[in-house]
Amino acid sequence: MAQTEPVAAMPPPQPSYLQRVVKPLFGTPLNAVISLICLWLFWIIVKAVWGWLVTRAVTEGGAAVCRASSGACLPFLVTKARFMIFGVYPYDEHWRPGLSMALFFAAIGVSMMPRFWGRWLLALWAMVITASMILIAGGVFGLRAVPTTMWSGLPLSFILTAVGLALGFPLGVVLALARASKLPAIRIIAVVFIEVIRGVPLISILFMASVMLPLFMPTGVTVDKLLRAQIAIIIFAGAYIAEAVRGGLQAIPRGQHEAAGALGLHYWQSMRLIVLPQALKIVIPPLVNISIGFFQDTTLVTIIGLLDFLSTIRTAMLDPEWIGAAVLEGYVFAATVYLVFSYGMGAYSRYLERRLRTGHH
Amino acid sequence: MRLFYDLRVRAVFYQVLAVAGVVATGWYLASNVSQKLAEQNIVTGFAFLGREAGFVISQSFIDYKPTDTFARALLTGVLNTIWVSSLAVTFATLIGVVIGIARLSSNPMLRSLAFFYVEVLRNVPLLLYLFLWYGLIITMLPPVREAIELVPHVFVSNSGLTIPAMMWSPAHTNVLVAFAAGVVLAMLVRRRMIAQRVVTGQARRVWPWVLMSLFAPVLIAVLFFQPEIVIEYPEKGRFRLTGGAHLKPEFTALLLGLTLSASAGIAETVRSGILSVQKGQWDAAKSLGFNRGMSLKLVVLPQALRVIIPPLTSSYLSLFKNSSLATAIGYPDLVLVTNTTMNQTGQAIEGIAIMMMVYLGLSIMISMLMNWYNARVALKER
């Protein structure tokens, strides 16, 4: 007797709870030992954090109470929150940097959605940066002018990063094209520039900008301290972006260049219409990683005396009234802010990498 | 006008234009600088290097006193930078490899703990961590009088870490040299024996000979020079700790910060390197009769290293450059010493030029070394 009806496909075996959870953790003696050690570590970390942040935390009172306690000093965070975020920016005008940060967040949100990718995004960013500058600097539309020495806190960190990347990007693309050029003189200039900048620490470039830029200017021209740091960051970003873009340019097959030439396009046309759109798409994930790095690197301007986010945090902690009361709190707050932004952007970059990976895997 | 449509003419034209642009900018800036310097009566040149420095460097790798020259002060800074970077590179690599492997463990708990470690360290600026570690050391730890004994003979206090130290003598240096000679000898013996195996086809055990050539010079040196092993333990006195090696809080915080942050990056590199070797490679090695250790050594690791080395190079380079953040917490590295020198002499251009040249030179050296190693492990095609 032959089977004529097809046999119904059996469902794939579902791993049991035991197989899914217990086996990887306690399947072998070694794994069991590792799991126990990990559990113990988890326990220590959770206990320490919980004790500091919840059980022993000071929720009310002033500096004296905090000095006596070994827990987190929440009143410090509450009292100093606005100073830590906005720094020495005039108190009544905090809504201006606040609004500009909201604009930044909105622009970042829009840029993160691939369906909005296009040329107009560049225009959007140009607009957001200009609007933030007007908001923070003031002096027009009835806004009170605020000198750059008072720009501080988280908005300053955002401005330094955003302007640095926005202007570093075109610089980087030009440098990458120059480095890939067939003309030896242009290539050598680009290689020397990129390698020198990448071979020295950002601090040394910041020092150079803050000490030597005034010497470079003709007599009578002074360069604002913030502008000096910003120029250093743009140059630094340019060199790193150039290397990322070079990777993208190298991934474009020769045939694309040749096809563009066969269509009668000259160099700039073929770059603008054929090569760069493909190359830049490949390098979006590394560029996001570079952006995260730069957001963290802007903390270095503390060393040349600008009041960025890390610097306002430190200033708040060194306030004579609170000194000794909050040793950790400020740093933990700052670290949380940086962690949330950087981790978020990193997760986004990994998502993009998966999304853009077409074909090969 | 016809001439301008010739591609070769154009190429020359553009290059001349670019070079002329660079030269003109450089000329313009240089003329501004010389005018400013003339106005401020600053004499340029490196003559100041021979003058007496006159400032104190709190911790130095070589002997330095304030009566020494600026040149020696700068050298002290360079050596401090190299010293802390090389220690941090070593520790960061060790921790990074362990965490990178832990990230791929089959045990979900270990995996998530390693993930947590990497993300917390990677996503917070190094400078913040340096301030945090430094702040923790000097405020949270007790003063020297009440130093905590972590493990026997290791003390921590708000003036740093005190550990037992071995008294160093010339005999020890000789033994160290003998050890270096042993390493070279062992490498030569190994290469020679493997070459012989290829020629004769006879398999002889290599490792006993290699081990012998590695340790024989050390043994002979120890017998000949008879180095005395005297370990000096720190003693807790009434007001301070005496004896032992003392690591200042700045150094401890910097070493800790650099090591931890770099180890997170290295862990990610190691992880992606191991992941890049496909599972089929393990299976293929197994089907050739290799055991797990041999497959790892002969099949998987050579392929993983190819992926790991280039990003590892950039991790090392950025660790080296990040050591410049030392200046923020007051460890006298190159940047801090240069900064002091510039403030004392007013020779800003020379100071920054020296600083950049040293960093650039050392960066190029590190990348050349790593490129040489990379060329050895790289895929060799026909």
Side-chain angles (χ1 to χ4, degrees):
Chain A
M1 192 174 149
Q3 168 115 19
T4 50
E5 292 291 308
V7 178
M10 296 218 325
Q14 291 293 324
S16 68
Y17 176 78
L18 200 75
Q19 275 169 324
R20 256 185 313 120
V21 180
V22 179
K23 210 173 159 214
L25 284 177
F26 299 100
T28 63
L30 180 66
N31 256 343
V33 172
I34 291 175
S35 299
L36 287 178
I37 294 176
C38 289
L39 269 180
W40 177 69
L41 276 175
F42 265 129
W43 170 242
I44 289 183
I45 294 170
V46 168
K47 205 172 80 171
V49 172
W50 184 264
W52 183 73
L53 197 64
V54 181
T55 321
R56 281 178 282 128
V58 177
T59 47
E60 281 171 3
V65 187
C66 286
R67 277 194 201 99
S69 157
S70 63
C73 181
L74 300 180
F76 169 78
L77 288 180
V78 174
T79 334
K80 288 284 178 185
R82 266 178 85 162
F83 180 81
M84 289 196 283
I85 293 172
F86 294 111
V88 295
Y89 201 86
Y91 194 82
D92 299 331
E93 312 275 342
H94 279 181
W95 63 272
R96 283 158 52 180
L99 184 60
S100 80
M101 275 207 293
L103 281 177
F104 271 122
F105 291 149
I108 291 173
V110 171
S111 318
M112 279 169 87
M113 283 180 254
R115 68 182 150 132
F116 289 126
W117 287 355
R119 271 158 218 273
W120 72 275
L121 215 53
L122 292 178
L124 175 81
W125 272 99
M127 265 158 52
V128 165
I129 290 177
T130 320
S132 311
M133 282 299 178
I134 292 173
L135 266 174
I136 292 177
V140 282
F141 306 125
L143 294 170
R144 182 149 69 95
V146 177
T148 55
T149 45
M150 298 183 99
W151 299 13
S152 46
L154 200 52
L156 182 72
S157 296
F158 270 107
I159 291 175
L160 285 172
T161 315
V163 176
L165 290 170
L167 296 182
F169 183 69
L171 176 67
V173 172
V174 169
L175 281 172
L177 288 178
R179 193 168 183 170
S181 162
K182 285 198 213 70
L183 312 176
I186 291 177
R187 195 170 59 227
I188 290 169
I189 292 171
V191 168
V192 170
F193 184 87
I194 294 173
E195 293 305 328
V196 167
I197 299 294
R198 279 163 43 93
V200 298
L202 176 56
I203 291 204
S204 68
I205 297 177
L206 283 172
F207 270 133
M208 184 165 128
S210 71
V211 176
M212 284 176 65
L213 219 52
L215 293 176
F216 281 145
M217 292 296 122
T219 321
V221 180
T222 51
V223 192
D224 186 80
K225 198 166 157 192
L226 176 62
L227 188 61
R228 289 181 221 162
Q230 186 67 77
I231 290 172
I233 290 177
I234 292 169
I235 290 175
F236 201 68
Y240 278 81
I241 291 171
E243 278 306 277
V245 174
R246 182 165 81 116
L249 287 176
Q250 282 175 347
I252 305 301
R254 272 183 75 85
Q256 296 287 324
H257 292 261
E258 288 163 0
L263 287 174
L265 301 180
H266 62 66
Y267 177 79
W268 288 110
Q269 282 174 331
S270 73
M271 283 300 156
R272 194 166 58 85
L273 299 170
I274 309 290
V275 178
L276 278 180
Q278 301 182 62
L280 292 182
K281 193 182 154 199
I282 303 175
V283 296
I284 289 174
L287 284 182
V288 175
N289 287 333
I290 288 180
S291 314
I292 300 171
F294 270 94
F295 181 50
Q296 299 189 6
D297 280 346
T298 51
T299 50
L300 266 63
V301 297
T302 308
I303 296 173
I304 58 165
L306 287 179
L307 286 168
D308 78 317
F309 184 43
L310 184 56
S311 188
T312 50
I313 297 265
R314 277 167 61 77
T315 315
M317 287 164 63
L318 292 175
D319 181 343
E321 193 194 324
W322 288 94
I323 201 159
V327 184
L328 265 175
E329 288 75 0
Y331 290 136
V332 171
F333 175 61
T336 314
V337 171
Y338 279 106
L339 189 69
V340 167
F341 279 113
S342 303
Y343 182 75
M345 291 300 277
Y348 172 69
S349 154
R350 287 192 286 276
Y351 152 78
L352 271 188
E353 243 167 284
R354 276 198 305 279
R355 198 190 125 96
L356 294 174
R357 192 162 48 201
T358 42
H360 306 299
H361 292 278
Chain B
M1 214 51 227
R2 262 287 159 72
L3 201 59
F4 194 65
Y5 288 119
D6 188 329
L7 274 181
R8 279 162 303 177
V9 176
R10 265 192 187 201
V12 172
F13 173 73
Y14 285 136
Q15 296 188 62
V16 169
L17 202 66
V19 173
V22 171
V23 170
T25 316
W27 183 266
Y28 172 71
L29 296 180
S31 69
N32 280 340
V33 170
S34 60
Q35 196 189 343
K36 280 267 173 76
L37 291 180
E39 280 168 20
Q40 296 171 11
N41 284 326
I42 296 175
V43 185
T44 49
F46 289 94
F48 73 95
L49 284 177
R51 292 210 302 268
E52 189 182 304
F55 57 87
V56 181
I57 295 180
S58 60
Q59 40 202 316
S60 62
F61 191 68
I62 51 169
D63 281 333
Y64 168 84
K65 45 194 181 313
T67 47
D68 283 331
T69 58
F70 278 113
R72 192 161 173 94
L74 289 171
L75 180 68
T76 310
V78 174
L79 290 177
N80 276 345
T81 292
I82 296 178
W83 172 234
V84 74
S85 313
S86 29
L87 279 182
V89 158
T90 317
F91 292 135
T93 310
L94 292 177
I95 300 175
V97 170
V98 172
I99 301 287
I101 294 171
R103 282 273 271 132
L104 294 169
S105 161
S106 61
N107 187 320
M109 202 127 43
L110 183 61
R111 216 161 49 211
S112 45
L113 208 61
F115 175 78
F116 184 69
Y117 175 90
V118 168
E119 296 300 331
V120 165
L121 282 171
R122 220 168 47 146
N123 289 318
V124 177
L126 173 59
L127 189 60
L128 201 161
Y129 271 125
L130 289 183
F131 284 140
L132 181 65
W133 301 138
Y134 186 59
L136 279 183
I137 290 175
I138 59 170
T139 57
M140 288 288 187
L141 292 176
V144 181
R145 255 173 294 167
E146 298 149 29
I148 305 171
E149 197 165 4
L150 276 186
V151 281
H153 305 300
V154 174
F155 292 92
V156 285
S157 69
N158 65 3
S159 65
L161 182 72
T162 311
I163 50 171
M166 200 176 80
M167 302 293 277
W168 199 260
S169 67
H172 289 100
T173 315
N174 291 336
V175 173
L176 201 68
V177 170
F179 178 71
V183 170
V184 175
L185 191 67
M187 264 162 38
L188 286 177
V189 166
R190 182 173 170 271
R191 186 182 289 182
R192 173 89 208 182
M193 288 193 68
I194 287 173
Q196 232 172 27
R197 184 163 72 194
V198 171
V199 173
T200 61
Q202 280 167 346
R204 284 165 65 191
R205 281 192 188 282
V206 175
W207 63 264
W209 298 97
V210 171
L211 271 188
M212 214 169 83
S213 45
L214 184 63
F215 287 114
V218 180
L219 216 69
I220 295 169
V222 167
L223 289 176
F224 190 76
F225 295 108
Q226 307 220 330
E228 254 184 292
I229 295 187
V230 181
I231 294 179
E232 199 191 24
Y233 293 103
E235 289 295 326
K236 199 169 168 181
R238 183 118 172 253
F239 296 110
R240 59 198 196 99
L241 293 164
T242 44
H246 181 67
L247 305 178
K248 291 239 164 86
E250 295 84 16
F251 181 82
T252 315
L254 181 65
L255 186 59
L256 194 67
L258 282 177
T259 303
L260 292 184
S261 293
S263 72
I266 292 173
E268 282 304 278
T269 305
V270 169
R271 175 177 153 264
S272 64
I274 296 176
L275 275 183
S276 73
V277 182
Q278 282 150 10
K279 202 172 168 301
Q281 297 289 326
W282 284 102
D283 299 340
K286 207 172 181 182
S287 70
L288 285 175
F290 290 166
N291 62 23
R292 222 183 133 77
M294 277 168 85
S295 337
L296 186 69
K297 187 181 144 210
L298 297 170
V299 177
V300 177
L301 214 54
Q303 299 185 66
L305 275 182
R306 216 173 277 156
V307 180
I308 290 174
I309 298 298
L312 192 64
T313 308
S314 47
S315 292
Y316 285 176
L317 282 172
S318 60
L319 188 155
F320 168 63
K321 285 182 282 174
N322 280 339
S323 71
S324 60
L325 297 187
T327 186
I329 53 170
Y331 174 71
D333 77 321
L334 175 60
V335 176
L336 191 65
V337 175
T338 311
N339 215 4
T340 317
T341 305
M342 290 195 299
N343 288 338
Q344 297 220 343
T345 58
Q347 309 277 7
I349 300 176
E350 292 84 351
I352 284 174
I354 292 174
M355 178 162 80
M356 287 191 146
M357 278 311 179
V358 171
Y359 274 113
L360 196 59
L362 289 172
S363 292
I364 291 173
M365 251 170 60
I366 296 172
S367 43
M368 268 166 61
L369 206 69
M370 293 299 280
N371 282 345
W372 168 78
Y373 186 64
N374 189 36
R376 287 188 44 151
V377 296
L379 184 63
K380 287 184 187 66
E381 288 179 295
R382 279 148 298 164

